[in-house]
């Protein structure tokens, strides 16, 4: 098992990206969209005339792989911070949040006018990101990271610190001093002879 969160995040992100690209390419073959993700990503860098050249696939592929690796790292840190409860729902939510933020706001403005898109093409990107998020959760679980988080959470629940019970691995505030009990042996005065 890989202990480093960054390396594990890169691996999870790349594996999830493979699933996303497989879904996208399958739907491309069935005619639901006229472009693949790498062309959409390349539209951020290239002019319209270059989007159907081999350079577009190379540039778009490099950008997509880099972003997916980064998203895998972010997902691993989010799960480490929030815990692994409802991991699949968190993964799907993360994938759809990426779809809205990257495709809806950042890429949407630069792609408009360069790539022909319609409602089914937009649905393809949404479905692919749904499976991207699901794959993030699946590969996080398969690589054993969620078990590691569960073990850490179990250990934290046994501690006296309530801030650590939610999966956080740092203190939000200092711990209050414990009150000494009156019946404690350490505080009892010695008996007089």
């Amino acid at each position: 098992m890989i202990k480093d969160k960054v390396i594990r995040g890169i691996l999870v992100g790349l594996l999830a990206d493979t699933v996303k690209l497989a879904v996208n390419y399958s739907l491309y073959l069935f005619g639901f969209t006229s472009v693949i993700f790498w062309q959409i990503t390349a539209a951020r860098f290239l002019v319209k005339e270059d989007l159907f050249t081999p350079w577009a696939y190379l540039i778009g592929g490099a950008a997509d792989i880099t972003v997916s690796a980064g998203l895998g790292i972010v997902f691993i840190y989010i799960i480490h911070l929030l815990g692994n409860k409802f991991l699949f729902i968190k993964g799907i939510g993360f994938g759809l949040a990426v779809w809205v933020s990257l495709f809806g706001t950042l890429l949407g403005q630069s792609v408009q006018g360069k790539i022909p898109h319609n409602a089914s093409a937009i649905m393809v990107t949404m479905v692919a990101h749904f499976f991207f998020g699901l794959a993030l959760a699946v590969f996080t679980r398969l690589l054993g990271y969620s078990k590691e988080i569960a073990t850490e959470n179990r250990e934290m629940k046994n501690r006296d610190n309530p801030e650590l019970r939610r999966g956080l691995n740092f203190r939000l505030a200092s711990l209050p001093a414990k009150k000494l009990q009156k019946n404690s042996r350490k505080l009892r005065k010695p008996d007089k002879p």
Side-chain angles (χ1 to χ4, degrees):
M1 182 185 333
I2 301 168
K3 295 286 185 188
D4 187 61
K5 290 180 192 71
V6 173
I7 300 300
R8 190 179 304 182
I10 290 171
L11 184 59
V12 165
L14 293 178
L15 291 170
D17 188 48
T18 304
V19 172
K20 177 188 79 175
L21 292 173
V23 169
N24 175 242
Y25 194 69
S26 299
L27 294 173
Y28 169 78
L29 290 177
F30 286 116
F32 289 101
T33 183
S34 59
V35 292
I36 61 171
F37 272 120
W38 289 2
Q39 290 171 295
I40 297 171
T41 308
R44 183 81 174 129
F45 304 102
L46 301 174
V47 295
K48 182 178 181 178
E49 293 76 29
D50 292 335
L51 292 180
F52 294 92
T53 65
W55 290 109
Y57 297 109
L58 180 66
I59 292 169
D64 184 57
I65 289 169
T66 303
V67 169
S68 293
L71 291 172
I73 295 168
V74 170
F75 184 73
I76 290 293
Y77 274 97
I78 286 173
I79 295 304
H80 184 74
L81 183 66
L82 299 178
N84 66 341
K85 195 171 185 181
F86 305 112
L87 180 65
F88 296 104
I89 294 172
K90 289 176 183 174
I92 292 167
F94 183 79
L96 292 176
V98 166
W99 173 70
V100 168
S101 61
L102 290 182
F103 278 87
T105 57
L106 298 177
L107 262 175
Q109 300 300 321
S110 62
V111 171
Q112 201 169 23
K114 291 183 180 181
I115 291 182
H117 60 281
N118 53 22
S120 70
I122 293 170
M123 287 299 295
V124 167
T125 61
M126 184 183 76
V127 169
H129 278 88
F130 175 90
F131 283 104
F132 175 72
L134 184 62
L136 283 173
V138 167
F139 290 119
T140 299
R141 171 82 36 102
L142 287 177
L143 291 175
Y145 188 67
S146 62
K147 291 177 185 174
E148 182 180 308
I149 292 293
T151 304
E152 286 178 14
N153 288 346
R154 216 174 301 117
E155 290 170 1
M156 288 182 207
K157 285 180 183 178
N158 294 333
R159 295 181 186 173
D160 293 331
N161 189 348
E163 285 99 12
L164 294 176
R165 290 185 185 152
R166 295 193 183 252
L168 301 174
N169 62 356
F170 56 89
R171 287 193 174 115
L172 298 175
S174 61
L175 294 173
K178 291 185 178 182
K179 252 186 177 177
L180 295 176
Q181 296 176 353
K182 291 182 181 180
N183 297 335
S184 175
R185 290 183 173 208
K186 294 179 182 177
L187 295 177
R188 195 180 299 173
K189 294 181 180 178
D191 296 330
K192 292 183 181 179

